[in-house]
Amino acid sequence: MSDTFLAWLTVLPGYTLPLLLASLGLMISERAGVLNLCPEGFMAVGAMTGALAVLAGYSPAVAILCGILAGTGLSLLFGLATVVFRADHTLAGLATVALGLGITGVLGRPYVQKPFDGLTRLSETSWGEGLPRLLGQQNLLLPISLILVLAVWYWIFRRPSGLSLRAVGEDPAAADVVGIDVQLTQLGAVLASGALGGLAGAYLSVASAHVWVEGMVAGRGWVAVAIVIFAGWRPRGVLFGAILFGGAEAAMLRLQTQGVEFPLYLGAMLPYALTLLVFCIACARRGRDNGAPAALGRVYLRQDKH
Amino acid sequence: MLDGTLLLRRQTVPGWLRGACYTGGLVFGLGLSAVLLVSMGIAPSDLFQEFVIQTFMTYQGLGQTVTAATPLVLVGLGTALAMRVRFWNIGIEGQLWCGAMAATWVAINDIGPESLRIPLMMAAAMIAGLLWIAIPLILKLWWSVSEVISTLLLGSIAFFWVQHMLFGAWRDTTTGFATSPSFDAAERLSLLGWEQVHGGIWIALTAVLVCTWLTGVSRLGLQAKAVGENMRAAKAAGLPVLTTIAVFVLGSGALCGLAGAVITAGTEYRLSQSLGQGYLFSGIVVAFLARANPLAVLVVAFALGGITTTGGVLKVFYGVSEAVVLMAQGIVLLSVLAAQLFADYRLSERRLA
Amino acid sequence: MTHRSLNDASPTPQQTGAGEAPALLLKGIDKAFDGKVALSKAGFRLAWGEVHALVGENGAGKSTIMNVATGVYGPDAGEIIVDGRDVPLRSPGDAVDAGIGMVHQHFRLVGRFTVAENVALALHGAGRRVTLAEAARLVSEKSAELGFGLDPNAVIGRISVAEQQRAEIVKVLLLGARILILDEPTAVLTGDEARALLTLVRQLSRSGHAVALITHKLQEVSDHCDRITVMRQGCTVMDAVAMEETPVDTIIREAFGEVREAPRRQMAAPGAELLRIDHLSLTQDTPVLDDVSLCLRAGEILGIAGVGGNGQSELVACLNGVLRPDSGRIALSGEDLAKASPAHRRRAGLRIIPADRFDSAMARGLTLAENLALTGLADGRFGPWWRLSRRKMKQAAAKSLTAFNVLGGTPSTPAALLSGGNAQKVLLARELAAGTKVVVAHSPARGLDLRSARAVQDLLAEAVADGAACLLISEDLDEIMRMCSAVSVLNRGRLSAPLTGSDLTPNRLGELMVGHA
């Protein structure tokens, strides 16, 4: 294994995990039929709250928990608007992002650009060279995230409650007549997306950058939305998409630190362009049946004619 | 819990009820935003003074409000046009950045004679915005690629492109900051002699007129209404659906591009990294609250201009981040959306023995 | 199709146990949808061990009252008593717990799930934890018991409608339903399948279940049901009358208001050939239209009968030009239109009345004037492209509304506010405007009250008398028999040769419709 590749692998999780976690949560929400454009907002409040907690002297673990709670709190608003008040999912999602970005700007402005220690790596040097070193460079959230992907897969596709979740997204009327609480399921799914989005944001600030700056999510939330679509709402596809985008981002950075000459911002643009390209190819190949939950984005009302 | 049996969809919604819910949501949202500001330590009397008196009732404040509203009218119109044919243009910022870049390119390369410089900048910006939205339009029509995603991603891509130019070829060598060189006098929209209000206001008003004509008077307007209401019926009735969608969507991109040029040539006089921030949400908020009606866009954009101005004042004198404007937009949009529940549905009480 | 006459003795009614509490008792049920009354003091009494028919016109409230009984709709007033106990049904889950199960007209099955997954979902909803394997085993057992032969691992979206119905029945029974409600179960079935289903229903009632059968096929009622309830305009007009005491013409009078008049058939005036379809085929996963050919002459109404979902909507869409057939020719007065746009076909004189007017013909949010003007925009009669004259649109609309006797709307009324009959007349006014050569009408009278239905049918007949031709695609045999001189049957995408003269009998059509020809 060449050094460049190893170095790339070392930094890969830092770019992949936020996307992975946000997309995973988003997938849960959309599997329940709630079209969700919120990750950008969830991640923003998660990142800010996590950073603020660390700066206030709490341990990184507590800070990450705070990030999760902040994301969940924001998602509760979105969930109430869409699930209880039956608002348009797209517009409510955009409003939630605006709210999230606005809150971070208002509350977090004094804490911008203040570096902190954040979540430590498993081990800096003691694990030797090569692969052990690579592993030592990671933090605890890497195994936790991978376990989460497996757990979500198992839950959605193997557990009865996962079956209910998917049924609500596919055909809420069919779920309703057998006694499944459509609204409660959807609200739960939205909260899960908020929690995971908040975790993704907290990862950005507490575990990865060790600093908070306004706008540090930088469109990753939108990328997460794209990832879930071309993943066909499947955990495996989400993992692949997150690695693709994160990998491209990490590769750009590696190349720059190794002194390869190319424009900085065009390089930063590349992962987004790549996402768009892969997204288009996926859409063009699959055509109409892209695996989307059949009732995605539709407002369900029991007493409508179905 | 959350019992769906209580809700009944109304067959028709009376106008007064829709209006009442809209107003209720708006008032609740604005009120909540005000309460949040007060809880951050701004006295209610100060807030009233800044938001109502200073922003709308003084010569100086009104001038600032009008200046802030000018680009808002353009992005609001742009979003409204796309909304009319059910196309989610969430890449407003991308088209705006492209328009700003095109105008800057014309300006710093001194393209064309000086007397035509401004029209050229505006035309270039419109073309740039139009081309930038043509990509998601084509992707949607050919491969049914969701425009929500493609416009959003193209927005991020355009922003990186701006940064690439500002940190590279266009960097202002005299200051060293990441902005383009300052525009010459011929490349600036003329000031009207009232605060910073500039010629862009005529562009915005013309755009309102053109959009009013397009949506309300021309044949395309009715076609767009039919497409927006029921695409299948429009197709079956033999309407030129594709042309209609293309005109409205491309027009949307062109207007957003134009907004970019108006900001660069009217207020900033240079391209900077910050000039386009936040217009995505402003455009959506203006178009949604105006129900995609061009004349209403004018009113809503003016009101939002006032909020933006107040945000600026709060930042300078009270130390509150201007992000408070973004937060207020989110709150208002969410509360107006949620309030529609009471218009769209009837809450029926079960009277079962 | 059974050929027993309606007055044959029905199967022996079960002893319904006098004094025993009825299985399901609905009393004085009111239900309005935002002011639109759907049920008013409606009632229904279902006894254990019987098969009970619920009969009435479209929109009479049959499905609504059963949706009340299953907790889907909340009634505005009334009592629901299950097996002698007052049961407040707050949600469908409560109905499941009370042992009530409904096989909806549009099955409540998740299309992407397998049969076993759907059953597991239902059991999970009812609070029973089962694994998929257990659910599959339960499906196999129940399916074997009922003689269904269902594959538990088959995906719902990929099996036939009849199999989906079996899956739904298995699901409902596994949920423990003892009161079964079947909403128009035979509408989607062939004759053999329908017979098998009705036999099963009888078996279930013998084993103690109570079965309510919503239907509009009177033959089924007299052959297979013990008692009958008739609903009309939201009210119960015949309440649980024993079948053998009830002559069929009484039922017809109660349910439909009048005895239907004898078929009226006009003679086909031999005119010029207007529409010719040659070898039209369309495949969407499975063949939807299979080598369809027909020929239509001026002054002729050709009927296309058949159970819905056998290719009717696709045929209409192909004729309209919004769906492209894989092969075949569509010619209007000799001009090949197979590749023409909808606008071109309309100009050539081909007009379409689709079955779902608010889905694919009119926009609810547009005013009547706007809806009427949509098809006339291109030729500039309402002004040039840069200036549309609202005044001209309203004038033209006012004329059309008067000419077609549209009530309850002015040119500025949004289309959504019109009743079904009047909305249909507006659509006819638009489509039968000048230059109509061929009008394709798909179930034009579906869901309309009798008076509006007659008005719509008369308007079509008038257009034909004026020299146009009409292709009438309908599931309603009465309508077809009354309107058409020649009738073909569309069955699984294949179109039969037209029946005319003495060959044209309901029995013969019925045989073709269920594929025994």
Side-chain angles (χ1 to χ4, degrees), chain C residues 337-360:
Chain C
L337 291 181
K339 292 194 173 67
S341 68
H344 185 127
R345 293 172 195 226
R346 171 174 303 283
R347 277 198 300 280
L350 182 59
R351 306 293 162 82
I352 314 285
I353 315 282
D356 38 9
R357 54 194 159 270
F358 279 124
D359 193 41
S360 47

Short mmCIF file of all heavy atoms in Angstrom, two decimals, chain C residues 337-360:
data_model
loop_
_atom_site.label_atom_id
_atom_site.label_comp_id
_atom_site.label_asym_id
_atom_site.label_seq_id
_atom_site.Cartn_x
_atom_site.Cartn_y
_atom_site.Cartn_z
N LEU C 337 -52.48 9.48 -37.84
CA LEU C 337 -52.27 10.31 -36.65
C LEU C 337 -51.40 9.62 -35.61
O LEU C 337 -51.22 10.14 -34.52
CB LEU C 337 -53.61 10.67 -36.01
CG LEU C 337 -54.52 11.62 -36.78
CD1 LEU C 337 -55.78 11.87 -36.00
CD2 LEU C 337 -53.81 12.94 -37.05
N ALA C 338 -50.86 8.44 -35.95
CA ALA C 338 -50.18 7.63 -34.92
C ALA C 338 -49.07 8.42 -34.23
O ALA C 338 -48.80 8.22 -33.06
CB ALA C 338 -49.64 6.35 -35.52
N LYS C 339 -48.41 9.31 -34.97
CA LYS C 339 -47.29 10.03 -34.35
C LYS C 339 -47.64 11.49 -34.08
O LYS C 339 -46.79 12.27 -33.67
CB LYS C 339 -46.06 9.96 -35.27
CG LYS C 339 -45.48 8.56 -35.37
CD LYS C 339 -44.09 8.58 -35.98
CE LYS C 339 -43.43 7.22 -35.92
NZ LYS C 339 -44.11 6.22 -36.77
N ALA C 340 -48.90 11.87 -34.32
CA ALA C 340 -49.29 13.27 -34.16
C ALA C 340 -49.39 13.64 -32.69
O ALA C 340 -49.62 12.80 -31.83
CB ALA C 340 -50.62 13.52 -34.86
N SER C 341 -49.21 14.94 -32.40
CA SER C 341 -49.31 15.43 -31.04
C SER C 341 -50.78 15.53 -30.65
O SER C 341 -51.66 15.54 -31.52
CB SER C 341 -48.68 16.81 -30.95
OG SER C 341 -49.46 17.72 -31.68
N PRO C 342 -51.07 15.61 -29.34
CA PRO C 342 -52.47 15.79 -28.93
C PRO C 342 -53.11 17.01 -29.59
O PRO C 342 -54.27 16.94 -29.99
CB PRO C 342 -52.35 15.98 -27.41
CG PRO C 342 -51.10 15.30 -27.02
CD PRO C 342 -50.17 15.47 -28.19
N ALA C 343 -52.34 18.09 -29.73
CA ALA C 343 -52.91 19.30 -30.33
C ALA C 343 -53.30 19.06 -31.79
O ALA C 343 -54.37 19.47 -32.24
CB ALA C 343 -51.89 20.44 -30.24
N HIS C 344 -52.44 18.37 -32.50
CA HIS C 344 -52.71 18.06 -33.90
C HIS C 344 -53.97 17.19 -34.04
O HIS C 344 -54.83 17.43 -34.87
CB HIS C 344 -51.50 17.34 -34.50
CG HIS C 344 -51.62 17.07 -35.98
ND1 HIS C 344 -50.67 17.44 -36.89
CD2 HIS C 344 -52.60 16.47 -36.70
CE1 HIS C 344 -51.05 17.10 -38.10
NE2 HIS C 344 -52.22 16.50 -38.01
N ARG C 345 -54.07 16.18 -33.20
CA ARG C 345 -55.24 15.28 -33.25
C ARG C 345 -56.52 16.06 -32.99
O ARG C 345 -57.54 15.83 -33.61
CB ARG C 345 -55.10 14.18 -32.20
CG ARG C 345 -53.96 13.25 -32.50
CD ARG C 345 -53.75 12.30 -31.34
NE ARG C 345 -52.45 11.67 -31.50
CZ ARG C 345 -52.23 10.38 -31.36
NH1 ARG C 345 -53.20 9.58 -31.02
NH2 ARG C 345 -51.03 9.88 -31.54
N ARG C 346 -56.42 16.99 -32.03
CA ARG C 346 -57.59 17.78 -31.70
C ARG C 346 -58.01 18.62 -32.90
O ARG C 346 -59.18 18.69 -33.24
CB ARG C 346 -57.24 18.67 -30.50
CG ARG C 346 -58.26 19.71 -30.15
CD ARG C 346 -57.85 20.40 -28.89
NE ARG C 346 -57.67 19.41 -27.83
CZ ARG C 346 -58.68 18.87 -27.20
NH1 ARG C 346 -59.90 19.22 -27.48
NH2 ARG C 346 -58.46 17.98 -26.26
N ARG C 347 -57.01 19.26 -33.55
CA ARG C 347 -57.32 20.07 -34.73
C ARG C 347 -57.95 19.21 -35.82
O ARG C 347 -58.83 19.65 -36.53
CB ARG C 347 -56.04 20.72 -35.28
CG ARG C 347 -55.65 22.01 -34.56
CD ARG C 347 -54.68 22.83 -35.41
NE ARG C 347 -53.43 22.14 -35.71
CZ ARG C 347 -52.42 22.03 -34.85
NH1 ARG C 347 -52.51 22.58 -33.66
NH2 ARG C 347 -51.33 21.38 -35.19
N ALA C 348 -57.48 17.97 -35.92
CA ALA C 348 -58.01 17.09 -36.96
C ALA C 348 -59.44 16.64 -36.65
O ALA C 348 -60.12 16.11 -37.52
CB ALA C 348 -57.09 15.87 -37.12
N GLY C 349 -59.89 16.85 -35.41
CA GLY C 349 -61.28 16.52 -35.09
C GLY C 349 -61.47 15.35 -34.16
O GLY C 349 -62.58 14.86 -33.98
N LEU C 350 -60.38 14.86 -33.56
CA LEU C 350 -60.47 13.74 -32.62
C LEU C 350 -60.57 14.30 -31.20
O LEU C 350 -59.66 14.98 -30.74
CB LEU C 350 -59.23 12.86 -32.77
CG LEU C 350 -59.15 11.60 -31.90
CD1 LEU C 350 -60.31 10.68 -32.16
CD2 LEU C 350 -57.84 10.88 -32.15
N ARG C 351 -61.66 14.04 -30.52
CA ARG C 351 -61.88 14.64 -29.20
C ARG C 351 -62.04 13.53 -28.16
O ARG C 351 -62.63 12.50 -28.44
CB ARG C 351 -63.13 15.52 -29.21
CG ARG C 351 -63.13 16.58 -30.30
CD ARG C 351 -62.05 17.62 -30.05
NE ARG C 351 -61.74 18.39 -31.24
CZ ARG C 351 -62.44 19.43 -31.67
NH1 ARG C 351 -63.48 19.82 -31.01
NH2 ARG C 351 -62.07 20.07 -32.76
N ILE C 352 -61.53 13.80 -26.96
CA ILE C 352 -61.49 12.77 -25.92
C ILE C 352 -62.25 13.22 -24.67
O ILE C 352 -62.07 14.34 -24.20
CB ILE C 352 -60.03 12.48 -25.50
CG1 ILE C 352 -59.12 12.32 -26.71
CG2 ILE C 352 -59.94 11.29 -24.57
CD1 ILE C 352 -59.24 11.05 -27.46
N ILE C 353 -63.10 12.34 -24.16
CA ILE C 353 -63.71 12.55 -22.84
C ILE C 353 -63.16 11.45 -21.94
O ILE C 353 -63.66 10.33 -21.96
CB ILE C 353 -65.25 12.39 -22.89
CG1 ILE C 353 -65.86 13.12 -24.07
CG2 ILE C 353 -65.89 12.78 -21.57
CD1 ILE C 353 -65.99 14.59 -23.89
N PRO C 354 -62.10 11.72 -21.16
CA PRO C 354 -61.52 10.65 -20.35
C PRO C 354 -62.41 10.33 -19.14
O PRO C 354 -63.31 11.08 -18.80
CB PRO C 354 -60.18 11.24 -19.90
CG PRO C 354 -60.39 12.70 -19.92
CD PRO C 354 -61.41 13.00 -20.97
N ALA C 355 -62.13 9.18 -18.54
CA ALA C 355 -62.98 8.71 -17.44
C ALA C 355 -62.83 9.61 -16.21
O ALA C 355 -63.78 9.86 -15.49
CB ALA C 355 -62.63 7.28 -17.09
N ASP C 356 -61.62 10.07 -15.97
CA ASP C 356 -61.35 10.83 -14.76
C ASP C 356 -61.16 12.29 -15.14
O ASP C 356 -60.05 12.73 -15.37
CB ASP C 356 -60.09 10.30 -14.07
CG ASP C 356 -59.04 9.90 -15.08
OD1 ASP C 356 -59.23 10.21 -16.28
OD2 ASP C 356 -58.04 9.29 -14.70
N ARG C 357 -62.27 13.04 -15.21
CA ARG C 357 -62.18 14.37 -15.81
C ARG C 357 -61.26 15.30 -15.07
O ARG C 357 -60.57 16.10 -15.67
CB ARG C 357 -63.56 14.98 -15.99
CG ARG C 357 -64.37 15.03 -14.73
CD ARG C 357 -65.83 15.34 -15.02
NE ARG C 357 -66.64 14.89 -13.90
CZ ARG C 357 -67.16 13.70 -13.80
NH1 ARG C 357 -67.00 12.83 -14.77
NH2 ARG C 357 -67.84 13.34 -12.73
N PHE C 358 -61.21 15.21 -13.72
CA PHE C 358 -60.36 16.14 -12.98
C PHE C 358 -58.93 15.65 -12.90
O PHE C 358 -58.06 16.31 -12.37
CB PHE C 358 -60.90 16.41 -11.59
CG PHE C 358 -62.00 17.43 -11.60
CD1 PHE C 358 -63.24 17.15 -11.08
CD2 PHE C 358 -61.78 18.68 -12.16
CE1 PHE C 358 -64.25 18.11 -11.11
CE2 PHE C 358 -62.77 19.64 -12.20
CZ PHE C 358 -64.01 19.34 -11.67
N ASP C 359 -58.69 14.44 -13.40
CA ASP C 359 -57.33 13.94 -13.37
C ASP C 359 -56.64 14.25 -14.68
O ASP C 359 -55.49 14.67 -14.70
CB ASP C 359 -57.34 12.45 -13.10
CG ASP C 359 -55.97 11.94 -12.75
OD1 ASP C 359 -55.28 12.65 -12.00
OD2 ASP C 359 -55.58 10.88 -13.24
N SER C 360 -57.34 14.09 -15.79
CA SER C 360 -56.63 14.23 -17.05
C SER C 360 -57.36 15.08 -18.09
O SER C 360 -57.03 14.99 -19.26
CB SER C 360 -56.30 12.86 -17.62
OG SER C 360 -57.41 12.02 -17.58
#
